[in-house]
Amino acid sequence: MRQTGIPHPRLPLPAPGREDDPARFLAWLAEAIPMVEHLGIRSMRREEEQLIWALDLTPSLNDKGTGFGGALAAQTALLGWCWATLWLRRHSMARDVVVAEASQRFLAPVTGDYRLVCLPESDDGPVALAEQIADRGRGRIALVQQLWCGHTLCLEARGNYVVLPAG
């Protein structure tokens, strides 16, 4: 059981050159952030610089029978945090990540199960992040999250994620 004010132990870094096992990472995430087990995340995968979640709508229903905006906004912020955390882990860095800024645009109602896609806002974002961390010990990256229900883009979010100095 999580306790207020006590950090959750970090998941050990994967072996150099290896990626995290998605199921293991999601299990750790549900322990570290208790609300995760209630978000309806079915799976997680990475395709190049994209991190993709498949989600069930039922846990995030609102009173109208569509996606609840607050739940969807929380999911986009968390997916960005996961993108940054997993990027650091692939580069053998155990660092804390925080959300510095987040915004959402709701474009269409979410009426069924959906997928969330997170990617860097600019193609050079990951390279710039690596350079910032190497030069200053910390960095920032802008990420975009898109929620797709079938072929319909229902939500687009943006966030700035900060990698804190080691220590």
Side-chain angles (χ1 to χ4, degrees), residues 33-120:
I33 303 173
M35 73 177 232
V36 166
E37 70 179 329
H38 305 287
L39 295 180
I41 302 168
R42 289 192 320 240
S43 66
M44 176 178 77
R45 72 182 192 280
R46 190 171 78 85
E47 293 180 8
E48 297 179 14
E49 289 296 335
Q50 296 183 4
L51 183 62
I52 303 165
W53 282 353
L55 298 105
D56 293 322
L57 175 59
T58 303
S60 299
L61 283 173
N62 64 18
D63 59 316
K64 296 161 204 62
T66 60
F68 173 59
L72 304 176
Q75 291 168 0
T76 62
L78 181 60
L79 180 60
W81 181 90
C82 288
W83 186 100
T85 298
L86 289 166
W87 183 91
L88 288 164
R89 292 174 59 75
R90 281 195 318 275
H91 292 86
S92 299
M93 289 185 262
R95 298 288 192 87
D96 287 327
V97 174
V98 296
V99 181
E101 183 180 358
S103 64
Q104 304 82 31
R105 281 187 9 183
F106 296 88
L107 305 169
V110 179
T111 57
D113 295 345
Y114 54 97
R115 71 185 180 285
L116 275 173
V117 179
C118 181
L119 63 153

Side-chain angles (χ1 to χ4, degrees), residues 84 87-88 95-98 100 125 128-142 160-166:
W87 183 91
L88 288 164
R95 298 288 192 87
D96 287 327
V97 174
V98 296
L129 178 60
E131 290 171 354
Q132 292 168 25
I133 293 170
D135 293 345
R136 299 192 310 250
R138 59 186 167 81
R140 178 182 293 250
I141 188 165
N160 285 308
Y161 295 81
V162 175
V163 176
L164 300 176

